[in-house]
Amino acid sequence: MEAIRKQATKLREQVARQQQAVFKQFGGGGYGGSDNVITDEAELHQHQKLERLYISTRAGKHFQRDIVRGVEGYIVTGSKQVEIGAKLSEDSRKYGSENTCTSGNTLSKAAVNYGRARAQMEKEHGNLLKALGTQVAEPLRAMVMGAPLEDARHLAQRYDRMRQEAEAQAIEVSKRQAKVRETPGNPELAMKLESAEAKLHDLKSNMAILGKEAASAMAAVESQQQRLTLQRLIAMVEAERTYHQRVLQILDQLESEMISERQRIEAAPIPSVESPMPPPPAYEEVNGVYASQTNNGSTDGMGYFLGEVLHPYQAESDVELTLSVGDYVVIRKVTNNGWAEGECKGKAGWFPFGYVERRDRVLASKMAEVF
């Protein structure tokens, strides 16, 4: 019988050692041990609450870190885009201000407008990146690296270690209780059992106090973590919405300007005259070349210059000049009553001055068509 009792004692000790090894293996990293300790319902509830808080704050911390990394990567990429856009803006502005075309300056105007709008958009983009850095990344980074979260987690880990120690002490108490039952009346075993039970009681008392403190700290951190992260997400959405709204306004204005200019060119309406124009001055032919009279209030103060025909004109008399869109005319005289005198394709005559537009530069191939 004695041999059987010894064998049973050895088996219980072996089981206790295996349990402790399992506790160390699964409870040593991070937080969370076993619920096998014999304890009251309140302590078990406290333990489970801390487990949930620990998991929640750990996930929240990882999410905050992911947001910070994402925003930082977006800022790096966005800064490069702003740089490229600024260069495009400058190139467009430079072309528009330094180049003109013989057929008009519509593209030059569009290039200048586009360069201006692009510069405004890149400025708004830069403001967005700055807001994401100061209003989103920096606050979240400070919380991820801050002391409150780490302090609360350390309290929870201390509680977990104390709980594991209490579990091991409970097993020790069970072993000594078994020895006392096997050898009743042994004062030494009874004293050891009493000492083990007192130690277990102290551990449970301290564990309850530490558990409440850790739970309170973790709950406060979780609340702050949830509130701050939501606020920063809202701030990020508001910053991006403001950016896109502003860019949309800039693009709407730019598109309106470009379409308006294109429609003006494509429509090419005939100039309206509020009152009928008087007839053109008469011509006198000298050696086969027409020379205009100097009466009828005419003036030649502008000197000779080239003009491009924007609207077709059909001559109604022998002294008038028929014009086609795209023709170039050497304008020699402009009268105060709206007529101009010039030469185009070897012919001279009068035509309404409003049908042409002055050109300072003309391609050589076009010049050959004038005479």
Side-chain angles (χ1 to χ4, degrees), residues 57-73:
T57 54
R58 181 177 58 191
K61 178 180 180 180
H62 291 168
F63 181 48
Q64 288 176 330
R65 184 179 294 141
D66 291 340
I67 295 175
V68 171
R69 289 173 178 171
V71 169
E72 288 176 343

Side-chain angles (χ1 to χ4, degrees), residues 185-204:
N186 188 326
E188 183 179 358
L189 293 178
M191 288 180 60
K192 290 183 178 180
L193 174 60
E194 183 179 352
S195 175
E197 289 175 340
K199 183 177 180 180
L200 178 60
H201 180 269
D202 291 342
L203 284 173
K204 287 184 176 182

Side-chain angles (χ1 to χ4, degrees), residues 307-327:
E308 180 185 359
V309 179
L310 299 182
H311 313 286
Y313 179 71
Q314 182 63 41
E316 298 180 1
S317 68
D318 294 339
V319 298
E320 297 179 23
L321 184 63
T322 298
L323 301 175
S324 300
V325 175
D327 287 347

